[in-house]
Amino acid sequence: MSKIGLFFGTQTGKTESIAEMIRDEFGDGEIELHDMSQVSVSDFDGYTKLIIASPTWDIGELQSDWEGFFPELDSMDFSGKTVAYFGTGDQLGYADNFMDAVGILEAKISDRGGKTIGYWPTDGYDFSESKAVKNGKFVGLAIDEDNQSELTDDRIKVWVAQIKKEFA
Ligand SMILES: Cc1cc2nc3c(=O)[nH]c(=O)nc-3n(C[C@H](O)[C@H](O)[C@H](O)COP(=O)(O)O)c2cc1C
């Protein structure tokens, strides 16, 4: 099977830990991790399957490495690529902006031709608004290490099984 490029940004390490858990759950060395603090456009070449990940910072904003990279996305072509998303956020502390960064990235990348997979139900979360919700679902996996870390393992297991099927 072709490799999957997982591109994550992180400020305090939580999204990086989740990225490692997802890679390990996926198994078989299929997922290659890329930290956005060290990524250039050409690192995306050669992947037809991507996982894109960002925490939300500063009330509804992208993580800073993604923020810096964001203008590059306008010159990139994601057609023919299948893309899953996940993010980490704090649904109680930032209930009006939970997971916004994932919504911002998904909107841009699907606009540039990427096919989104890995939609995730909003059941079991408690928030008011999120740019990551489209047609009643999150556009990717929502992880909340600040309030619901006890649910993280199960969420990862279920989501990874789902995207394995959807990538295939
Ligand atoms: C100043 C500050 C602003 C934040 N803003 C948001 C936000 O708007 N939406 C959200 O869902 N989470 C927000 N968070 C929570 C972080 O996204 C969350 O802790 C995340 O897991 C951090 O991931 P990282 O360790 O990979 O950087 C914020 C946290 C802080 C401290």
Side-chain angles (χ1 to χ4, degrees), residues 2-139:
S2 60
K3 300 272 190 209
I4 299 167
L6 191 165
F7 293 80
F8 68 92
T10 191
Q11 219 62 28
T12 61
K14 288 175 187 153
T15 309
E16 180 167 25
S17 302
I18 303 302
E20 289 167 353
M21 290 169 75
I22 287 171
R23 177 196 59 197
D24 295 347
E25 177 67 23
F26 217 97
D28 295 335
E30 263 173 77
I31 292 185
E32 297 176 335
L33 299 191
H34 298 271
D35 186 330
M36 287 310 293
S37 66
Q38 296 159 41
V39 159
S40 56
V41 170
S42 61
D43 290 316
F44 287 84
D45 292 350
Y47 291 115
T48 54
K49 300 171 187 174
L50 297 169
I51 301 175
I52 299 292
S54 179
T56 302
W57 277 93
D58 299 329
I59 312 180
E61 302 290 337
L62 295 172
Q63 183 272 338
S64 62
D65 298 306
W66 270 118
E67 190 80 58
F69 190 83
F70 196 71
E72 305 281 1
L73 293 174
D74 281 322
S75 68
M76 294 170 69
D77 180 10
F78 287 89
S79 54
K81 296 191 197 280
T82 307
V83 191
Y85 299 82
F86 75 89
T88 66
D90 172 354
Q91 64 196 290
L92 299 183
Y94 301 91
D96 291 336
N97 300 90
F98 181 49
M99 290 264 294
D100 274 4
V102 166
I104 294 166
L105 289 169
E106 193 273 342
K108 173 62 74 182
I109 291 169
S110 60
D111 215 42
R112 308 287 312 153
K115 177 177 184 270
T116 303
I117 60 156
Y119 288 90
W120 186 250
T122 57
D123 311 329
Y125 298 86
D126 185 11
F127 65 98
S128 309
E129 279 189 62
S130 172
K131 286 193 174 127
V133 174
K134 222 157 97 174
N135 302 324
K137 283 190 155 192
F138 287 117
V139 294

